[in-house]
Amino acid sequence: MKLNRIALAVVLAAPLAVSAQTKLFSVTPLLGYHSPDKGDAGAYVGLAAGLKIVPAVAVEAEFGKASDATLLNANVLVSPASWATSTMSPYVLAGLGQQDLDYPMGTTKVSTTDTVMNLGGGVLYGLSDVVSLRAELRGIHNSDKSLMDYLVLTGLQYNLGGKPEVVP
């Protein structure tokens, strides 16, 4: 079963109604290393746009490109509530997406569009109220082809629209 882009847009649009309360959006350029089951390993470049629903939970849409894969993901990032507003905040990431994959098989090139599931973790380190350094390790399971890819990512997260609520 393929996850189409319309369903992904609906999943990402639902939290926008909550955005008026938290007033915290984020934009994160990402740079990293992509290690696929099939195809060439190499650099990964991506851009994520997120929305903090409550101090410990955020949703984000991510688009990224590796040497022979293009990813479009919707992820949920969950931090421990006691760390959510501190300078260093670890998080767990889970999500669904779509992967356009082009890899060589023998003398032919295989092109597929598949459903993927993401699971990983990372750390946000606040450099200021607006900018955070992000480091992440993620596994990507291609459920249509039973392939497993890995991403090691770093990025600078820019927070827009206000300060997050303080956890009591």
Side-chain angles (χ1 to χ4, degrees):
M1 183 166 95
K2 304 286 185 200
L3 177 70
N4 66 35
R5 291 185 176 136
I6 294 172
L8 186 59
V10 170
V11 168
L12 294 174
L16 290 178
V18 181
S19 67
Q21 297 172 3
T22 60
K23 297 182 182 174
L24 191 63
F25 296 93
S26 66
V27 176
T28 311
L30 297 164
L31 184 61
Y33 179 76
H34 178 244
S35 177
D37 246 1
K38 293 194 176 187
D40 296 329
Y44 176 88
V45 177
L47 182 66
L51 171 66
K52 192 166 285 255
I53 298 174
V54 295
V57 179
V59 294
E60 76 178 11
E62 177 189 342
F63 176 79
K65 179 79 175 115
S67 58
D68 50 11
T70 302
L71 294 163
L72 179 62
N73 295 314
N75 298 315
V76 176
L77 287 72
V78 179
S79 298
S82 60
W83 289 50
T85 57
S86 65
T87 303
M88 185 179 293
S89 179
Y91 62 88
V92 174
L93 174 141
L96 294 171
Q98 180 176 299
Q99 180 179 38
D100 294 329
L101 187 59
D102 300 315
Y103 61 91
M105 182 175 279
T107 58
T108 62
K109 188 174 187 178
V110 177
S111 295
T112 64
T113 299
D114 303 316
T115 303
V116 294
M117 296 172 282
N118 301 303
L119 184 61
V123 175
L124 282 170
Y125 182 79
L127 302 174
S128 71
D129 286 345
V130 178
V131 179
S132 297
L133 183 61
R134 177 173 167 172
E136 182 177 302
L137 176 61
R138 185 187 313 172
I140 303 169
H141 177 70
N142 182 325
S143 59
D144 295 342
K145 299 281 188 246
S146 293
L147 301 173
M148 191 71 186
D149 295 359
Y150 297 95
L151 278 175
V152 178
L153 299 171
T154 58
L156 279 178
Q157 182 166 307
Y158 299 95
N159 299 313
L160 312 166
K163 287 188 173 185
E165 300 172 18
V166 176
V167 176

